[in-house]
Amino acid sequence: MILFRSFILLSVVCFIHLPVEAQKKSFFKKLNLDTLTNRNLRFLPLPSVTITPETGLKAGVFVDYFYRTKSDSGKTVRPSLSWVQALYSTRNQFTAEAYTSTYTSNEQFYIFFRGGFISNYERFWGFTKPSVTNDQYAEVTYNRVYAQAKLQRNLGNKYFAGVSFYFSDYSRNKFQEKEGITAVPPAGNNNSRITGAGLSFTADKRDNQFSPTKGFFADATVIANYDLQNKQYAYTLITTDLRKYNETGRHIFAHQLYTSLATDEMPLFEKARIGGSNMMRGFFQGRFRDNTFWTLQTEYRYRLNRFLKIAVFAAAGNTAPSIDRLLAQQVQVSGGTGLRVLINKEKKIYFRGDIAVTANGMLGYYFRIGDAF
């Protein structure tokens, strides 16, 4: 302890006796915003803290790896990103996941993977037309092992096509009713084990994949899913994701139309859910759920200066038990505002803080890295 105190004292004395100009230069070089936001993010292990209504406070270890593969033609290959994370939340949720979004040399192929283990907590109100209030829900816990993957070939001009794979195993689900609840969980065994394969197409014309301001993104995937528990065809899932970005001076407009359409009945936990930190913010994820889902959301972002943006956003959408009834259901609406803080200039990565409200009286708050879409 004496040695440690002596070292601290010596360090302080040496700093005091440095020339004033050297002190200022060293201090401002480390803490200047331009220096901080221009850090070379390549391999970045760091603590991770997020806050959402679904998780409460979630913290753990997050390791990012940013990289670019080689290009023989001299053209710039878009950045790739891989990460692993282990997180635990105040709602006793545990997550261990791995992720990669990789463009191979010369962008000849695109490889996507996300998978891992989740011990989760969520809430169950019912399906598309639950006759319950926001406070009347069942609490449910379960374990999930899952993997999603894409392997696509570059068709030229930033168009990609290829195959997609899916595996999802839900087990050990437990429902606990709240006092006065009327949303009764479905009877029977709600565990499920689904695997599937299909085709996917992607067009990515965005100027940046982390925080785009110009261009568009389009993705369509069709996967035929097989029920491993009952040894039979389960359903085909068709998803589309369309995004458009425009920038005029300090003004940025972002729009997204997302659909998830199942041809047959889905297992309980595979059903599409309204809500979360990225789509229809404000709704607790799962407030409405069913076999089909659509949402249209728009966000206006205004650049205050080099480091800060403010945002205003709105979203509409709903769920339905089948594709033909999707537009016949009541449309749910949410909106809110937020702040974006630049944490890396080269890759345009922002820290996001949002608060959102819904037409049926729910409130959501989100503190995360990265734009919603």
Side-chain angles (χ1 to χ4, degrees):
M1 179 61 71
I2 295 176
L3 180 60
F4 175 76
R5 289 177 178 173
S6 300
F7 174 78
I8 296 297
L9 179 60
L10 179 61
S11 300
V12 172
V13 171
C14 291
F15 178 78
I16 292 174
H17 283 84
L18 281 173
V20 174
E21 291 300 322
Q23 292 182 33
K24 288 183 178 180
K25 183 177 180 181
S26 175
F27 179 79
F28 286 110
K29 183 177 180 181
K30 292 180 179 179
L31 298 184
N32 182 273
L33 286 175
D34 284 307
T35 300
L36 292 173
T37 58
N38 277 292
R39 298 187 314 276
N40 180 23
L41 291 185
R42 185 169 175 83
F43 181 77
L44 184 65
L46 74 168
S48 174
V49 178
T50 63
I51 301 175
T52 70
E54 293 81 12
T55 64
L57 176 66
K58 181 185 259 187
V61 177
F62 192 95
V63 181
D64 267 340
Y65 179 51
F66 296 90
Y67 51 98
R68 292 181 190 269
T69 55
K70 295 180 180 180
S71 173
D72 298 330
S73 62
K75 294 182 179 179
T76 302
V77 177
R78 280 172 288 184
S80 298
L81 168 66
S82 296
W83 52 253
V84 294
Q85 65 177 2
L87 307 170
Y88 192 78
S89 81
T90 53
R91 297 192 189 279
N92 299 319
Q93 298 155 308
F94 173 72
T95 300
E97 290 179 305
Y99 169 96
T100 188
S101 175
T102 299
Y103 294 95
T104 64
S105 298
N106 303 310
E107 292 192 12
Q108 185 176 5
F109 291 96
Y110 172 69
I111 301 170
F112 169 86
F113 173 84
R114 183 168 184 172
F117 169 81
I118 301 173
S119 179
N120 201 24
Y121 158 90
E122 65 177 55
R123 296 172 182 175
F124 179 79
W125 283 268
F127 300 105
T128 294
K129 292 184 176 181
S131 59
V132 295
T133 67
N134 291 335
D135 296 328
Q136 294 178 308
Y137 55 83
E139 297 182 304
V140 58
T141 59
Y142 56 78
N143 290 344
R144 184 192 185 200
V145 176
Y146 81 101
Q148 299 169 280
K150 286 183 182 181
L151 175 60
Q152 296 179 318
R153 183 177 178 84
N154 192 342
L155 304 179
N157 201 25
K158 299 184 179 180
Y159 292 97
F160 294 80
V163 293
S164 293
F165 304 96
Y166 181 75
F167 173 79
S168 181
D169 184 348
Y170 285 93
S171 63
R172 302 183 66 181
N173 69 83
K174 295 180 181 178
F175 283 84
Q176 181 176 351
E177 296 184 0
K178 283 190 62 180
E179 184 177 354
I181 186 174
T182 57
V184 179
N189 179 11
N190 292 304
N191 294 331
S192 62
R193 182 176 295 172
I194 297 292
T195 188
L199 303 175
S200 62
F201 170 82
T202 304
D204 192 348
K205 299 279 191 171
R206 297 172 294 179
D207 62 338
N208 180 276
Q209 64 173 310
F210 304 119
S211 182
T213 60
K214 298 177 183 178
F216 72 89
F217 172 87
D219 183 89
T221 301
V222 179
I223 294 183
N225 291 285
Y226 185 79
D227 185 337
L228 292 172
Q229 285 191 163
N230 299 309
K231 295 182 171 39
Q232 63 183 18
Y233 161 80
Y235 56 90
T236 296
L237 185 64
I238 305 165
T239 59
T240 61
D241 187 354
L242 306 175
R243 308 180 194 184
K244 184 71 173 69
Y245 305 89
N246 299 97
E247 181 179 25
T248 304
R250 295 189 175 192
H251 310 278
I252 301 166
F253 297 89
H255 315 281
Q256 181 186 31
L257 173 62
Y258 181 87
T259 64
S260 177
L261 311 174
T263 58
D264 292 278
E265 186 67 20
M266 303 177 74
L268 175 63
F269 298 115
E270 294 288 348
K271 292 179 184 287
R273 304 163 174 84
I274 277 183
S277 61
N278 294 329
M279 283 191 283
M280 298 201 70
R281 284 160 282 179
F283 286 101
F284 195 106
Q285 190 172 44
R287 179 61 179 91
F288 302 93
R289 73 175 74 202
D290 225 315
N291 299 316
T292 62
F293 163 68
W294 72 270
T295 182
L296 175 64
Q297 56 183 3
T298 186
E299 183 166 307
Y300 166 67
R301 303 162 188 163
Y302 178 75
R303 188 179 291 107
L304 292 172
N305 55 41
R306 290 177 296 167
F307 309 106
L308 297 175
K309 295 179 186 176
I310 56 174
V312 180
F313 53 87
N318 63 21
T319 60
S322 59
I323 297 175
D324 61 320
R325 298 171 61 185
L326 190 61
L327 299 180
Q329 310 302 322
Q330 178 182 348
V331 174
Q332 306 298 329
V333 179
S334 68
T337 186
L339 181 68
R340 312 287 181 263
V341 182
L342 183 67
I343 58 176
N344 186 263
K345 184 177 180 180
E346 178 192 359
K347 296 176 177 64
K348 293 186 179 180
I349 299 175
Y350 285 81
F351 177 82
R352 168 168 58 102
D354 287 334
I355 183 168
V357 295
T358 72
N360 75 336
M362 298 193 98
L363 173 69
Y365 44 87
Y366 310 91
F367 299 91
R368 299 174 63 89
I369 292 177
D371 284 325
F373 62 95

